Amino acid sequence: IYIMDFLKNIDPLVYVYLGVASFMLPAVVGMATRLTAFYVHNHQPTIREEAYQVLEEEKTELGINSKVGIQISEDDELKRRTHIQAIARHNNEGPVIITNRSDLTRILIRHELYHIARDGGRDEAGNTLEESIYILEREVRNLPSRPLFALMVDWRQWKQAYSEFRADVYALAGLRL
């Protein structure tokens, strides 16, 4: 009863602030975890074989039994042409992680594998790195320009931000949300 009396006496503007904050929370926490990841010195594979070893370890941790490929842009062409650090997609052979060599860390692999475990990496990728970059480049070019507050009004944008938040939390802390 005391809580209900308290809630009745709160200024309605507080509810508006709380509503906006609840929609923005995934984006804010996602930015914070990315900044944390920047400063956390996590294992960075130095050679391609080591990246595959990390991939297999993390697949086991998440319980992913299917084959997961990895396409690595050695010269960071993915970032240069699409402004994408990494993305989980699906090609004819199954799920695939597409990333830049300079961004390849255990945290990134864990993040993208979480997306594969949750969503299956359903969007299209090419069978080669060049095909994948071309597909992503075409998609980025066709994205509509949206204002920053679009997250608050567009459910798909909010859902995507929340998905990124969950993957960031798993990548850093190992918590499955």
Side-chain angles (χ1 to χ4, degrees), residues 98-116:
I98 308 160
T99 186
N100 298 293
R101 172 64 194 93
S102 65
D103 297 318
L104 189 59
T105 62
R106 183 177 289 268
I107 286 177
L108 180 134
I109 291 171
R110 287 172 59 104
H111 176 101
E112 297 305 332
L113 280 174
Y114 186 82
H115 284 303
I116 290 170

Side-chain angles (χ1 to χ4, degrees), residues 24-34 62 107-122 155-177:
M24 295 302 292
L25 180 65
V28 171
V29 173
M31 289 183 338
T33 54
R34 281 185 168 77
L62 269 169
I107 286 177
L108 180 134
I109 291 171
R110 287 172 59 104
H111 176 101
E112 297 305 332
L113 280 174
Y114 186 82
H115 284 303
I116 290 170
R118 297 274 309 176
D119 311 324
R122 288 183 221 113
W155 173 249
R156 289 181 312 247
Q157 291 285 333
W158 189 88
K159 188 177 173 185
Q160 176 64 31
Y162 187 65
S163 175
E164 291 298 323
F165 162 70
R166 289 189 318 205
D168 284 341
V169 169
Y170 175 75
L172 291 171
L175 300 175
R176 298 178 195 178
L177 301 178

Side-chain angles (χ1 to χ4, degrees), residues 20-142:
V20 169
S22 69
F23 275 105
M24 295 302 292
L25 180 65
V28 171
V29 173
M31 289 183 338
T33 54
R34 281 185 168 77
L35 286 173
T36 304
F38 179 76
Y39 290 108
V40 172
H41 294 292
N42 212 336
H43 178 72
Q44 181 169 355
T46 54
I47 55 175
R48 198 175 281 265
E49 290 76 26
E50 201 170 337
Y52 284 108
Q53 180 182 350
V54 169
L55 182 69
E56 290 304 316
E57 290 170 11
E58 296 301 335
K59 274 177 45 182
T60 304
E61 180 78 23
L62 269 169
I64 298 174
N65 297 323
S66 63
K67 178 183 177 225
V68 176
I70 189 164
Q71 296 177 354
I72 303 170
S73 173
E74 296 293 337
D75 59 354
D76 289 353
E77 189 170 351
L78 175 66
K79 189 185 302 182
R80 212 172 41 253
R81 288 174 52 185
T82 65
H83 303 288
I84 293 174
Q85 181 181 12
I87 194 163
R89 290 296 183 99
H90 199 276
N91 64 16
N92 294 340
E93 299 171 6
V96 62
I97 296 172
I98 308 160
T99 186
N100 298 293
R101 172 64 194 93
S102 65
D103 297 318
L104 189 59
T105 62
R106 183 177 289 268
I107 286 177
L108 180 134
I109 291 171
R110 287 172 59 104
H111 176 101
E112 297 305 332
L113 280 174
Y114 186 82
H115 284 303
I116 290 170
R118 297 274 309 176
D119 311 324
R122 288 183 221 113
D123 293 330
E124 177 189 7
N127 290 325
T128 66
L129 177 65
E130 187 58 39
E131 289 174 3
S132 295
I133 291 175
Y134 176 76
I135 290 167
L136 291 167
E137 196 174 34
R138 192 178 63 220
E139 289 176 12
V140 168
R141 237 183 283 125
N142 293 332

